[in-house]
Amino acid sequence: MKGKLIQNVCIVFLLVLGATATQANAAVFTVGINGGENYSSIQEAVNNAQNGDTILVSPGVYRENVNVNKELTIISSELSGDRVNRTYVIGAVPTNDVFGISSSNVTISGFHIVGGPSGIDGYQEVGLYLDGVQNCLLSNNTLMLNDAGIALNNSQRNLLDNNIIGLGNDGISLSRSNENRLLNNMVTTNSEGIRMDNSTNNTFLNNTIDSNEIGIVLATSRMNMLEHNLVSRNNNGLILTEMSESNTLFNNSLYMNGVGIYLKGSSGNMIYLNKFFNFLNAEDEGKNTWNTSSAGNLWEDYNGTDADGNGIGDTPYIVNQTTGSIDYLPLANNISSGGTQ
């Protein structure tokens, strides 16, 4: 037993020593446009960096398209909340992505990324494009005027946190991408706020999807979790189509959309504890579940009563009688006992 303990201690020591050595070998490069930094362009710094290095970019305007093919941390040195000294990266070639990321373990943080839609049919210029990568972090970026703000293709276990994406075609797009997390993002004024195709086991949490033509689209996507998101003032709030199944929509707020949620050709989804306050709250052409064993959803147009005051309506809320899409346990928080509004 004593020998095994000594062996474990030695292993831990070697792991710590190895991690320290790796960190010690990492370099920090600076980029700036006013002189005094290591490089004047981000791409030049990327070309000269090695895996594990950090590139610190000073505020200014950088007109370039950046190809990131190494495991790097690329961050802006602007002060948080500083509206004057910002770090802009504007695509120099409108048919190329502003940041094309083809390596795993990349961090991009703190940039204002502007592309300008390419105007070429069938082509999508992307502000931050992840292609076949894993474990990347995209955080605290603002992306405007891109065909797509952030796009993931065949990419897994990446984190998109606290980004602002607007004035484009797709705000965030996932294609054949699994186990990614989208947290605390603001997606506004796009044709489609978030689009997910052929993707599974992704988590959308605490995002705000506002004033898009379509807020969120799930197409042929399964086992995704949408929780605590605000979907508001879109023509269509949330659309599930092309056999999107086994997704869970829990505790989301859908306010002032033309249609709150539309399920077209999609069944087997779980929808509960959401708040629906829209011109038309829900359309369901499939067979989906609208309540758990204890609670359903809060419907602005529910006109039932709650005679016993237990917070659950006494009569079901009918979404589609023909398909059996019924909330059997609608929340009655918007009515008092006896049905007085």
Side-chain angles (χ1 to χ4, degrees), residues 53-72:
D53 288 347
T54 295
I55 297 173
L56 187 63
V57 185
S58 297
V61 178
Y62 299 85
R63 298 184 180 276
E64 56 181 307
N65 301 83
V66 184
N67 176 28
V68 185
N69 55 4
K70 302 170 185 176
E71 299 182 3
L72 301 173

Side-chain angles (χ1 to χ4, degrees), residues 151-171:
L152 280 64
N153 178 56
N154 191 29
S155 295
Q156 288 74 42
R157 295 183 294 281
N158 302 285
L159 173 59
L160 283 58
D161 181 29
N162 201 37
N163 301 286
I164 300 173
I165 305 103
L167 299 175
N169 186 19
D170 292 340

Side-chain angles (χ1 to χ4, degrees), residues 165-176:
I165 305 103
L167 299 175
N169 186 19
D170 292 340
I172 300 175
S173 174
L174 283 74
S175 177
R176 296 182 294 121

Side-chain angles (χ1 to χ4, degrees), residues 18-260:
T20 303
T22 300
Q23 188 174 28
N25 290 331
V28 177
F29 297 105
T30 58
V31 176
I33 59 175
N34 296 318
E37 288 83 9
N38 299 122
Y39 302 102
S40 59
S41 77
I42 302 170
Q43 186 64 65
E44 188 180 8
V46 170
N47 293 344
N48 288 278
Q50 303 296 323
N51 288 338
D53 288 347
T54 295
I55 297 173
L56 187 63
V57 185
S58 297
V61 178
Y62 299 85
R63 298 184 180 276
E64 56 181 307
N65 301 83
V66 184
N67 176 28
V68 185
N69 55 4
K70 302 170 185 176
E71 299 182 3
L72 301 173
T73 295
I74 306 175
I75 57 177
S76 165
S77 64
E78 71 178 64
L79 296 176
S80 177
D82 188 339
R83 297 188 176 185
V84 178
N85 295 314
R86 290 180 169 176
T87 308
Y88 291 91
V89 183
I90 301 175
V93 181
T95 54
N96 291 352
D97 304 318
V98 183
F99 280 88
I101 301 166
S102 56
S103 174
S104 298
N105 304 306
V106 168
T107 294
I108 306 289
S109 182
F111 292 95
H112 295 261
I113 299 170
V114 183
S118 64
I120 299 175
D121 291 341
Y123 184 84
Q124 287 254 313
E125 164 271 324
V126 183
L128 287 164
Y129 182 50
L130 275 61
D131 188 14
V133 302
Q134 301 178 0
N135 303 317
C136 291
L137 169 62
L138 309 178
S139 67
N140 301 304
N141 300 291
T142 299
L143 301 105
M144 296 290 171
L145 295 172
N146 301 278
D147 284 329
I150 300 176
L152 280 64
N153 178 56
N154 191 29
S155 295
Q156 288 74 42
R157 295 183 294 281
N158 302 285
L159 173 59
L160 283 58
D161 181 29
N162 201 37
N163 301 286
I164 300 173
I165 305 103
L167 299 175
N169 186 19
D170 292 340
I172 300 175
S173 174
L174 283 74
S175 177
R176 296 182 294 121
S177 295
N178 309 321
E179 300 179 23
N180 300 285
R181 292 184 296 155
L182 282 66
L183 313 179
N184 309 308
N185 299 287
M186 164 70 81
V187 185
T188 182
T189 325
N190 302 279
S191 296
E192 295 181 347
I194 298 177
R195 182 177 184 87
M196 184 161 48
D197 293 286
N198 295 290
S199 299
T200 62
N201 288 317
N202 297 285
T203 299
F204 296 1
L205 177 66
N206 288 334
N207 300 287
T208 298
I209 317 299
D210 183 84
S211 300
N212 305 278
E213 292 183 21
I214 302 174
I216 302 175
V217 181
L218 273 64
T220 324
S221 294
R222 304 178 66 251
M223 296 184 291
N224 299 286
M225 170 67 77
L226 283 70
E227 179 181 356
H228 286 281
N229 301 287
L230 172 61
V231 183
S232 61
R233 297 184 296 184
N234 306 281
N235 290 342
N236 290 274
L238 180 59
I239 296 178
L240 277 70
T241 186
E242 298 177 28
M243 299 179 64
S244 289
E245 301 175 344
S246 302
N247 300 288
T248 300
L249 285 65
F250 162 71
N251 212 0
N252 300 285
S253 297
L254 294 95
Y255 290 150
M256 298 179 65
N257 301 286
V259 178

